[in-house]
Amino acid sequence: MEKLRRILFVEDEPDIAEVVADALSSEGFEVCVAINGRAALELLQTGIPFDSVITDVSMPDGVSGIDVAHEAARLNPAAKIIVASGHQLGHLPQLPERFEFIPKPYRLAGILHAIN
């Protein structure tokens, strides 16, 4: 039996978080949702191994998705790190090469392509 791949999905819009998490779950992933950057950092610091971390760039409460992505990469070097934004990539701070960028609005096919 194949092990479920675990995803940390960080999105501050509850409706979007629910729809995307449900879609990923239906594709066979185990999904943990964090509603902001602080909650994401807390989940990352528990030591739960995530295969992928998908985070919105713009977050409330002083911890951005970029902060989350860097911490996820530091704590879980094997994880696939995916950052999402409604802004064009050229309008964001330069991302490390190992980070994947996906545009918002989310498209399930785009998320699955980035994960795989």
Side-chain angles (χ1 to χ4, degrees):
M1 182 176 179
E2 189 177 321
K3 163 179 128 23
L4 280 181
R5 291 187 290 169
R6 185 176 294 130
I7 295 173
L8 174 58
F9 184 67
V10 190
E11 172 59 59
D12 62 315
E13 296 289 336
D15 293 342
I16 294 172
E18 182 178 359
V19 168
V20 173
D22 287 350
L24 289 170
S25 293
S26 72
E27 291 290 326
F29 295 96
E30 179 183 338
V31 183
C32 297
V33 175
I35 59 166
N36 60 40
R38 290 191 189 285
L41 293 180
E42 288 174 14
L43 277 169
L44 287 167
Q45 290 165 354
T46 65
I48 296 170
F50 292 101
D51 298 296
S52 299
V53 176
I54 304 168
T55 181
D56 187 6
V57 170
S58 298
M59 290 283 170
D61 301 328
V63 178
S64 75
I66 305 247
D67 297 331
V68 170
H70 282 289
E71 187 67 0
R74 187 183 74 76
L75 291 173
N76 207 344
K80 179 82 175 194
I81 309 297
I82 302 161
V83 295
S85 178
H87 299 288
Q88 293 180 349
L89 182 57
H91 294 150
L92 299 176
Q94 186 166 356
L95 300 174
E97 277 188 32
R98 74 170 289 230
F99 290 9
E100 181 98 16
F101 174 79
I102 58 174
K104 287 177 74 177
Y106 294 107
R107 304 251 188 285
L108 183 58
I111 294 171
L112 293 173
H113 180 75
I115 291 169
N116 295 313

Coordinates of all heavy atoms in Angstrom, one line a residue, residues 5 14 24 31 34 40-41 63 71 80 99-100 102 111:
R5 N 0.9 10.9 0.7 CA 1.8 12.1 0.7 C 1.1 13.2 1.5 O -0.1 13.5 1.3 CB 2.2 12.5 -0.7 CG 3.0 11.4 -1.4 CD 3.6 11.9 -2.7 NE 2.5 12.0 -3.6 CZ 2.6 12.5 -4.8 NH1 3.7 13.1 -5.2 NH2 1.5 12.6 -5.6
P14 N -10.5 31.2 4.2 CA -11.1 29.9 4.6 C -11.8 29.1 3.5 O -11.7 27.9 3.4 CB -12.0 30.2 5.8 CG -11.7 31.5 6.2 CD -11.0 32.2 5.1
L24 N -7.4 18.3 -3.0 CA -6.2 17.5 -2.8 C -6.4 16.2 -2.1 O -5.8 15.2 -2.4 CB -5.1 18.4 -2.1 CG -4.6 19.5 -2.9 CD1 -3.7 20.4 -2.0 CD2 -3.7 19.0 -4.1
V31 N -3.9 16.2 3.8 CA -3.7 17.7 3.8 C -3.9 18.3 5.2 O -4.9 18.0 5.8 CB -4.7 18.4 2.8 CG1 -4.5 19.9 2.8 CG2 -4.6 17.7 1.4
A34 N -3.2 25.4 7.3 CA -2.9 26.4 8.3 C -3.5 27.7 7.7 O -3.4 28.0 6.5 CB -1.4 26.6 8.4
A40 N 1.2 28.0 10.4 CA 2.0 27.2 9.5 C 3.3 26.9 10.2 O 3.8 25.8 10.3 CB 2.2 27.8 8.2
L41 N 3.9 27.9 10.8 CA 5.2 27.8 11.5 C 5.1 26.8 12.7 O 5.9 26.0 12.9 CB 5.8 29.1 12.0 CG 6.2 30.1 10.8 CD1 6.8 31.4 11.4 CD2 7.3 29.4 9.9
V63 N 3.6 37.2 9.4 CA 4.5 36.1 8.9 C 4.0 35.8 7.5 O 2.9 35.3 7.3 CB 4.3 34.8 9.8 CG1 5.2 33.7 9.2 CG2 4.8 35.1 11.2
E71 N 11.3 28.7 6.1 CA 11.3 27.8 7.3 C 11.0 26.4 7.0 O 11.7 25.4 7.5 CB 10.4 28.3 8.4 CG 10.5 27.6 9.7 CD 11.8 27.9 10.5 OE1 12.7 28.6 10.0 OE2 11.9 27.3 11.6
K80 N 8.9 19.5 -1.1 CA 8.7 20.4 -2.3 C 8.1 21.6 -1.7 O 7.1 21.6 -1.0 CB 7.7 19.6 -3.2 CG 7.4 20.4 -4.5 CD 8.5 20.2 -5.5 CE 8.1 20.9 -6.8 NZ 8.9 20.6 -7.9
F99 N 12.3 26.7 -4.9 CA 10.9 27.0 -4.7 C 10.2 27.0 -6.1 O 10.7 27.5 -7.1 CB 10.7 28.4 -4.1 CG 11.2 28.5 -2.6 CD1 11.9 27.4 -2.0 CD2 10.9 29.6 -1.9 CE1 12.3 27.6 -0.7 CE2 11.3 29.7 -0.6 CZ 12.0 28.7 0.0
E100 N 9.0 26.4 -6.1 CA 8.2 26.4 -7.3 C 7.2 27.5 -7.1 O 6.7 27.8 -6.0 CB 7.5 25.1 -7.4 CG 6.6 24.9 -8.6 CD 7.3 24.2 -9.7 OE1 8.3 23.6 -9.5 OE2 6.7 24.3 -10.8
I102 N 3.4 29.1 -8.3 CA 2.2 28.9 -9.0 C 1.3 30.1 -8.9 O 1.3 30.7 -7.8 CB 1.4 27.6 -8.6 CG1 1.0 27.6 -7.1 CG2 2.1 26.3 -9.0 CD1 0.2 26.5 -6.7
I111 N -1.6 22.9 -9.4 CA -1.1 22.4 -8.1 C -0.5 21.0 -8.2 O 0.6 20.8 -7.8 CB -2.2 22.5 -7.0 CG1 -2.6 23.9 -6.8 CG2 -1.7 21.8 -5.7 CD1 -3.9 24.0 -5.9

